[in-house]
Amino acid sequence: MKNGLKRLRMEAGFSLIKEDPASGARRGRLKTLHGTIETPIFMPVGTQGTVKGLLPDQLKSLKAQIILGNTYHLNLRPTSELIESMGGLHRFMRWDGPILTDSGGFQVFSLSKIRKIREDGIYFQSHLDGREVILTPERVLDIQAKLGSDIAMVLDECPSAESSRQECEDAVSRTLKWARQARDYVEKTGFLAKGHHVFGIVQGSRHKDLRQSCAQELVEMDFPGYAIGGVSVGEPEEEMIPQVQMCTEVLPREKPRYVMGVGTPVQLLKMIASGADMFDCVMPTREARHGIAFTDNGKINMKNNRFREDNNPLMERFSDIETGRFSRAYIRHLIVSGEILGSVLLTMHNVRFYLDLMAQARQHIEDGTFRDWSNQWIDRYNG
Amino acid sequence: MKNGLKRLRMEAGFSLIKEDPASGARRGRLKTLHGTIETPIFMPVGTQGTVKGLLPDQLKSLKAQIILGNTYHLNLRPTSELIESMGGLHRFMRWDGPILTDSGGFQVFSLSKIRKIREDGIYFQSHLDGREVILTPERVLDIQAKLGSDIAMVLDECPSAESSRQECEDAVSRTLKWARQARDYVEKTGFLAKGHHVFGIVQGSRHKDLRQSCAQELVEMDFPGYAIGGVSVGEPEEEMIPQVQMCTEVLPREKPRYVMGVGTPVQLLKMIASGADMFDCVMPTREARHGIAFTDNGKINMKNNRFREDNNPLMERFSDIETGRFSRAYIRHLIVSGEILGSVLLTMHNVRFYLDLMAQARQHIEDGTFRDWSNQWIDRYNG
């Protein structure tokens, strides 16, 4: 942090440090029970209580500030009761930084074949053993309380991009009903008073009026932060950023805004310019396991024969971390040979790439140079 | 090292520091171009230029002193020429400690369906693409020179335990012929003079006369060290240690002795008592990927339900390394969930277990307490 930056406002643990004059980009800071995170921020995904292939110390060395866990998955296995009895998710996985947990609402979309939506909640047939699992607005908060989540999500209904207008209206209606139940429940249980955050989730698909009325109603419920869900669920790419923009127009300036499950490096920069603060995505970790590395000049497939004799590191400016010491030729050899270490090294690299991009964005917002830098960055990446 | 231990003798980089009065156990030290190793020693296996799942710094933190590479595999992929052009295997994989490379002779046994043995060498059909690959006594040394191996192996022929007496005689005969060629070749090329070690390999299967005559002829060729091959290739377990004993009876006291590809923790202690100094085995790394952890009280299967709520570390006395910080319940969760990190953590643990066992053995040889300690250790492990 540079000196002289003015804290504009603080509410419910979030302080807005600077706003970019040329875009909607914001530089903020969110306090949680396990430390403060600097926004804009990318959150590596640890669905099952582990960011795939990485040790907590490695995440720290990559400068991860906060990671994700998933209510649906952890509740099934090893169960929230077990994790609670082990001292909570932080202690279970030996990660002492902040953790945000998704509510299971996204699995309405991703596991659409094994779930039914009813007015009281979502009925899943477990993808592990077929037994029925019911997620209600109260139950997902109980689970997240047992996990010890720093930032919990309310239960929402995430429709796919193919849903009809009527289906989207129904989804928003249920999402709002469940959000109200959730808001009442955390008040009653004292979860918020203990310092945990609970974010409401805006749905509404591509429909501006639905998104904005959903956002407005959530704002009236006064959540500590707001998430934008249902983005990148099958719609054309050009519709994604406008959907974020529709929401941020309505969401309060002084609360953090989290776009769920998105996206590419370029999409992240565009969402930042649209006023979003927090992001998560499996892309950097999943692509790593498929042999793909992110670089300043775009993605590269490490299986490609052109890296066979390439003695350069993946990216010169990352030579301070473990992955930076290895040549592209060696990483290609590992990937081609199906060696675990290839996935691990690329996962470290890609997570670092995403986190570093956010660090650059933060600096440029502070310096008032975000828009120009961001445009240049995107041109180079795409070019 | 304690003070007052007497260096008994040094030859070709090997010094014998102490011999156990109550067994054949020896405490030694072998100098190589990339550092000195303390024997008895276990060498983690890095067949394809990586100890599966581990970073070089992690190997260092586990106190690995020397690791293995494999001529057959690395020659096929990425090829010895490529590794040489990248500065050798040490630089390619960023491991700056000693490396021992196998010659490909073991693949006579492990890849018996895709190889033919001729008088001039072994003809393989590549397991990757079917093309013919010929390993001759000279070629395997060229490959190992390109890799930059600290301890190279001569080409040998490793027969299975089912081989007839005649087949074993033929294998010994070819092994000796190839060893002579190898000895002449390293003299001619100056490989030994540059400080690399080359070990001859004793074959002969279960036949004492063959093993001992093979060993004697190799000793006359005056190699810097000797390996005992063809152990644990299908014979009953009770025949394994006697085969090692047959060889160490004949091998010179002042040279290092390496038993190839064996074995369990108990077998390691018994081989040390039979006068062997160096060992390698895929067991700790392979078992880890199958969810098996070694402990002082025997192997445990981490999938077992009894670890579901076990908040203890795998082994209390390993709590100084990364794996020691995690509970059995968490590791079980990772293994049951098919998470990469489960394999990584168990690999770290098992490699540490093997290396720690060797460290204990070294100390007890120095203290003159090896035999009693070893018997107690085996009783507890088996009990």
Side-chain angles (χ1 to χ4, degrees):
Chain A
M1 288 305 305
K2 289 195 173 177
N3 290 329
L5 286 176
K6 195 176 157 197
R7 173 193 281 199
L8 296 181
R9 188 159 172 194
M10 166 136 180
E11 182 128 352
F14 185 68
S15 32
L16 205 52
I17 295 163
K18 178 132 183 192
E19 290 174 296
D20 183 43
S23 73
R26 303 134 51 89
R27 173 75 181 84
R29 186 171 292 156
L30 179 62
K31 281 191 188 170
T32 80
L33 290 171
H34 286 85
T36 298
I37 60 175
E38 306 292 332
T39 67
I41 185 70
F42 176 78
M43 306 179 282
V45 178
T47 306
Q48 302 197 104
T50 161
V51 176
K52 289 189 191 301
L54 300 190
L55 289 157
D57 283 358
Q58 291 173 326
L59 282 165
K60 281 278 161 72
S61 78
L62 299 169
K63 298 181 182 140
Q65 296 183 47
I66 172 173
I67 62 172
L68 244 74
N70 192 291
T71 290
Y72 170 83
H73 290 91
L74 291 170
N75 179 49
L76 286 185
R77 187 174 62 193
T79 77
S80 52
E81 287 73 21
L82 178 76
I83 292 176
E84 184 181 36
S85 77
M86 295 288 137
L89 185 55
H90 295 83
R91 175 137 187 82
F92 188 54
M93 66 183 292
R94 300 294 189 268
W95 167 258
D96 60 9
I99 296 177
L100 180 151
T101 46
D102 192 6
S103 66
F106 181 69
Q107 277 67 42
V108 168
F109 165 72
S110 64
L111 299 176
S112 61
K113 288 182 181 164
I114 56 168
R115 56 81 181 156
K116 284 209 173 76
I117 297 161
R118 299 198 180 147
E119 282 309 306
D120 61 336
I122 309 167
Y123 289 64
F124 289 97
Q125 278 192 295
S126 160
H127 72 288
L128 298 176
D129 59 13
R131 79 188 149 90
E132 187 175 70
V133 179
I134 307 167
L135 295 184
T136 67
E138 293 80 11
R139 172 80 182 127
V140 299
L141 288 164
D142 284 341
I143 294 169
Q144 293 175 93
K146 283 179 178 149
L147 299 177
S149 176
D150 296 286
I151 305 175
M153 293 288 133
V154 301
L155 188 65
D156 63 327
E157 179 184 335
C158 175
S160 82
E162 282 80 45
S163 303
S164 68
R165 164 90 197 184
Q166 185 60 49
E167 287 168 327
C168 292
E169 283 179 15
D170 293 346
V172 166
S173 162
R174 265 186 298 264
T175 293
L176 285 170
K177 183 179 126 185
W178 292 346
R180 248 172 243 116
Q181 285 177 244
R183 191 69 186 79
D184 292 346
Y185 192 67
V186 291
E187 206 66 59
K188 197 182 91 183
T189 59
F191 188 65
L192 283 180
K194 287 176 200 147
H196 301 271
H197 296 293
V198 178
F199 282 17
I201 304 178
V202 184
Q203 291 290 350
S205 194
R206 66 189 71 185
H207 309 289
K208 185 170 181 177
D209 60 328
L210 291 184
R211 286 233 174 241
Q212 295 197 332
S213 65
C214 183
Q216 265 152 354
E217 289 209 42
L218 288 170
V219 171
E220 282 161 28
M221 297 178 211
D222 194 25
F223 282 98
Y226 298 93
I228 299 168
V231 179
S232 191
V233 290
E235 74 276 24
E237 198 191 348
E238 62 269 23
E239 290 187 14
M240 288 172 49
I241 309 302
Q243 283 187 65
V244 173
Q245 186 73 43
M246 292 169 196
C247 301
T248 55
E249 279 172 12
V250 175
L251 291 170
R253 182 166 158 268
E254 69 276 13
K255 298 277 181 81
R257 303 152 173 180
Y258 157 37
V259 182
M260 305 180 82
V262 192
T264 66
V266 171
Q267 287 165 351
L268 257 61
L269 293 183
K270 289 183 177 172
M271 290 187 290
I272 290 172
S274 300
D277 307 304
M278 301 162 66
F279 312 95
D280 79 286
C281 191
V282 295
M283 193 172 278
T285 42
R286 180 175 291 167
E287 291 279 52
R289 299 195 302 281
H290 294 150
I292 307 293
F294 288 88
T295 80
D296 291 340
N297 300 304
K299 290 197 287 185
I300 55 179
N301 186 336
M302 293 310 297
K303 290 181 185 164
N304 197 302
N305 202 50
R306 74 187 158 108
F307 302 121
R308 195 172 174 280
E309 298 178 45
D310 189 340
N311 212 350
N312 297 303
L314 272 177
M315 278 176 50
E316 204 64 59
R317 65 188 176 81
F318 285 176
S319 54
D320 59 320
I321 61 159
E322 195 94 37
T323 49
R325 299 170 49 214
F326 298 94
S327 66
R328 293 173 168 203
Y330 181 64
I331 292 173
R332 178 184 184 275
H333 165 66
L334 294 177
I335 295 289
V336 167
S337 303
E339 285 285 353
I340 297 176
L341 190 61
S343 296
V344 170
L345 288 177
L346 285 184
T347 300
M348 290 177 75
H349 170 83
N350 286 352
V351 167
R352 170 69 181 269
F353 183 86
Y354 266 67
L355 294 171
D356 174 78
L357 181 62
M358 293 300 97
Q360 290 184 66
R362 287 193 297 271
Q363 189 61 54
H364 283 284
I365 297 169
E366 289 176 18
D367 296 346
T369 53
F370 177 79
R371 194 178 61 175
D372 287 350
W373 165 78
S374 172
N375 288 338
Q376 283 163 19
W377 195 96
I378 291 171
D379 283 346
R380 184 180 51 185
Y381 185 84
N382 286 337
Chain B
M1 288 306 306
K2 289 198 173 175
N3 289 330
L5 287 177
K6 196 176 156 197
R7 173 192 281 198
L8 297 180
R9 190 160 171 191
M10 166 137 182
E11 183 130 351
F14 185 67
S15 31
L16 205 52
I17 295 164
K18 179 131 184 194
E19 290 174 295
D20 183 43
S23 74
R26 304 132 52 88
R27 173 75 182 83
R29 187 171 290 156
L30 179 63
K31 281 191 189 171
T32 80
L33 290 171
H34 286 85
T36 298
I37 60 175
E38 306 291 333
T39 68
I41 185 70
F42 176 77
M43 306 179 281
V45 178
T47 305
Q48 302 197 104
T50 161
V51 176
K52 290 189 189 303
L54 301 190
L55 289 157
D57 283 358
Q58 290 174 326
L59 282 166
K60 282 277 161 71
S61 79
L62 298 170
K63 298 180 181 137
Q65 297 183 45
I66 171 172
I67 62 172
L68 245 73
N70 192 291
T71 291
Y72 169 83
H73 290 90
L74 292 170
N75 179 50
L76 287 185
R77 186 174 61 193
T79 77
S80 52
E81 287 74 21
L82 178 76
I83 291 176
E84 183 183 35
S85 77
M86 295 287 136
L89 184 56
H90 295 84
R91 174 136 188 81
F92 188 55
M93 67 183 291
R94 300 293 189 270
W95 167 258
D96 60 9
I99 296 177
L100 181 151
T101 46
D102 192 6
S103 65
F106 181 69
Q107 277 67 43
V108 168
F109 164 73
S110 64
L111 298 176
S112 62
K113 288 181 181 163
I114 56 168
R115 57 81 182 156
K116 284 210 173 74
I117 296 160
R118 298 197 181 148
E119 283 308 307
D120 61 336
I122 308 166
Y123 289 64
F124 289 97
Q125 278 193 294
S126 160
H127 73 287
L128 298 176
D129 58 13
R131 79 188 151 90
E132 187 176 69
V133 179
I134 307 168
L135 294 185
T136 66
E138 293 80 10
R139 173 80 182 124
V140 299
L141 288 164
D142 284 342
I143 294 168
Q144 292 175 93
K146 283 178 177 149
L147 299 177
S149 176
D150 296 286
I151 305 175
M153 293 287 131
V154 301
L155 188 65
D156 62 328
E157 179 183 336
C158 175
S160 83
E162 284 78 46
S163 304
S164 69
R165 165 90 196 183
Q166 186 61 51
E167 286 168 327
C168 293
E169 283 178 15
D170 293 347
V172 166
S173 163
R174 264 186 298 265
T175 293
L176 285 170
K177 183 180 126 185
W178 292 345
R180 250 173 243 114
Q181 284 177 245
R183 191 69 186 80
D184 293 346
Y185 192 67
V186 291
E187 206 66 59
K188 198 182 91 184
T189 58
F191 189 65
L192 283 179
K194 287 176 200 148
H196 301 270
H197 296 293
V198 178
F199 282 17
I201 304 177
V202 184
Q203 291 290 350
S205 194
R206 66 188 72 186
H207 309 289
K208 185 171 182 178
D209 60 329
L210 291 183
R211 284 231 175 242
Q212 294 197 332
S213 65
C214 183
Q216 264 152 356
E217 289 208 43
L218 288 170
V219 171
E220 281 161 29
M221 297 178 211
D222 194 25
F223 281 98
Y226 299 93
I228 299 168
V231 179
S232 191
V233 290
E235 75 276 24
E237 197 190 348
E238 61 270 24
E239 289 187 14
M240 288 173 49
I241 309 302
Q243 284 187 65
V244 173
Q245 187 72 44
M246 291 170 197
C247 301
T248 54
E249 279 173 12
V250 176
L251 291 170
R253 184 166 156 267
E254 69 277 11
K255 299 277 181 80
R257 302 150 174 181
Y258 157 37
V259 183
M260 306 180 81
V262 191
T264 67
V266 171
Q267 287 165 352
L268 257 60
L269 294 182
K270 289 183 177 172
M271 291 188 289
I272 290 172
S274 301
D277 308 304
M278 300 162 68
F279 312 95
D280 80 285
C281 191
V282 295
M283 193 171 279
T285 42
R286 181 174 290 166
E287 291 279 52
R289 298 194 303 282
H290 295 151
I292 307 292
F294 288 88
T295 80
D296 290 340
N297 300 304
K299 290 197 286 185
I300 55 179
N301 186 336
M302 293 309 297
K303 290 180 186 164
N304 198 302
N305 202 50
R306 75 188 156 107
F307 302 121
R308 194 171 175 280
E309 298 178 46
D310 189 340
N311 212 351
N312 297 303
L314 272 177
M315 277 176 50
E316 203 63 60
R317 65 188 176 81
F318 286 176
S319 55
D320 60 321
I321 62 158
E322 195 94 37
T323 49
R325 299 168 50 214
F326 298 94
S327 66
R328 293 174 167 202
Y330 181 64
I331 293 173
R332 178 184 184 275
H333 165 65
L334 295 177
I335 295 289
V336 167
S337 304
E339 285 285 352
I340 297 175
L341 189 61
S343 295
V344 170
L345 288 177
L346 285 184
T347 300
M348 290 178 74
H349 170 84
N350 286 351
V351 167
R352 169 69 181 269
F353 183 85
Y354 266 67
L355 294 171
D356 174 78
L357 181 62
M358 294 299 97
Q360 289 184 67
R362 288 194 296 272
Q363 190 61 54
H364 284 285
I365 297 169
E366 289 176 19
D367 296 347
T369 53
F370 177 79
R371 194 177 62 175
D372 288 349
W373 165 78
S374 172
N375 288 337
Q376 284 164 18
W377 196 96
I378 291 171
D379 284 346
R380 184 180 50 185
Y381 185 85
N382 286 336

